[in-house]
Amino acid sequence: MKFFVDTADTAEIAELAATGLLDGVTTNPSLIMKAGRPMKDVIAEICKITDGPVSAEVAATDYEGIMREAKVLAAIAPNVVIKLPLTMDGLKACKALTSAGHKTNVTLCFSATQALLAAKAGATYISPFIGRLDDINLDGLELIREIRTIYDNYGFATEILAASIRTINHVRDCAIIGADVATIPPSTLKALVKHPLTDKGLETFLADWAKTGQSIA
């Protein structure tokens, strides 16, 4: 499973990119707002940090407006992925952009039938929001299972990009189900390496090593 980081904080992205574990980046209007800088500048800087896919979201909701904004975003860098709303106009734009050779990420998916439509429109990625479904007492992970089954049934190439991830368990379960990508907040991504037994074991090993009085270097 590929790991994308869900942030527009370029310092966080650079730190995670240095680990070699980062496959891409997703942004949205809310994250751009938090960055407090012009969107095009932020996206351009992110694309210099990583050569992986970088999702940049349109703000327009009508087809013509979406296409105008997509043209501007696509010109920023070759690895920009155009992020589109899961609406009829968004799907129409997805089909047109995909046909023109652009990568697309259809976002705000909350049902398997929506995901089916996005795949038929040629989306590169579909972004089901599992955390937001959990918030209203629905099973977000069940949506990932349903989409995986549908896509496998028909051989769709669209990748399942699990979004709105809140916990380490979300990441684990998405990997078990077979999501292609998880886009994860920086804090959650960093927490994946943590385990109390790892910390305890390392502490014991270091204490024993100190008793030997040896030095490797």
Side-chain angles (χ1 to χ4, degrees):
M1 184 169 70
K2 288 176 278 193
F3 285 166
F4 291 0
V5 64
D6 194 35
T7 185
D9 185 326
T10 54
E12 290 270 25
I13 294 166
E15 179 185 350
L16 290 167
T19 68
L21 299 173
L22 189 64
D23 299 296
V25 178
T26 57
T27 68
N28 60 47
S30 298
L31 294 172
I32 293 294
M33 180 191 70
K34 290 178 183 178
R37 299 166 51 201
M39 178 186 186
K40 288 187 283 186
D41 292 349
V42 174
I43 298 300
E45 185 175 344
I46 294 171
C47 289
K48 290 178 180 177
I49 296 170
T50 177
D51 57 5
V54 177
S55 287
E57 188 166 346
V58 298
T61 56
D62 63 292
Y63 173 76
E64 289 76 13
I66 290 172
M67 294 301 290
R68 283 194 301 271
E69 293 182 359
K71 183 178 180 180
V72 172
L73 296 175
I76 295 174
N79 54 326
V80 166
V81 176
I82 309 302
K83 200 170 182 183
L84 305 163
L86 214 165
T87 61
M88 279 299 182
D89 278 0
L91 292 174
K92 181 180 177 182
C94 178
K95 185 68 173 179
L97 291 166
T98 300
S99 298
H102 298 292
K103 291 186 177 180
T104 54
N105 177 358
V106 177
T107 190
L108 293 170
C109 173
F110 294 98
S111 75
T113 50
Q114 286 180 319
L116 176 58
L117 291 177
K120 288 178 69 64
T124 310
Y125 303 101
I126 181 66
S127 289
F129 278 42
I130 59 178
R132 293 196 193 182
L133 284 171
D134 290 350
D135 289 345
I136 58 170
N137 298 315
L138 295 175
D139 188 349
L141 290 166
E142 181 60 27
L143 175 57
I144 303 295
R145 292 187 188 92
E146 291 172 354
I147 298 172
R148 181 76 277 159
T149 298
I150 291 169
Y151 283 11
D152 289 348
N153 281 349
Y154 298 101
F156 286 122
T158 299
E159 295 189 34
I160 302 172
L161 196 167
S164 187
I165 284 181
R166 305 280 175 77
T167 67
I168 293 173
N169 287 346
H170 274 163
V171 179
R172 178 201 64 198
D173 292 341
C174 283
I176 291 170
I177 294 166
D180 300 288
V181 188
T183 187
I184 312 170
S187 59
T188 305
L189 185 51
K190 292 174 184 177
L192 294 176
V193 75
K194 296 292 186 181
H195 195 285
L197 292 180
T198 301
D199 296 338
K200 184 177 180 180
L202 184 58
E203 181 182 348
T204 299
F205 290 158
L206 290 175
D208 289 344
W209 176 251
K211 293 173 185 176
T212 70
Q214 298 181 49
S215 174
I216 295 174

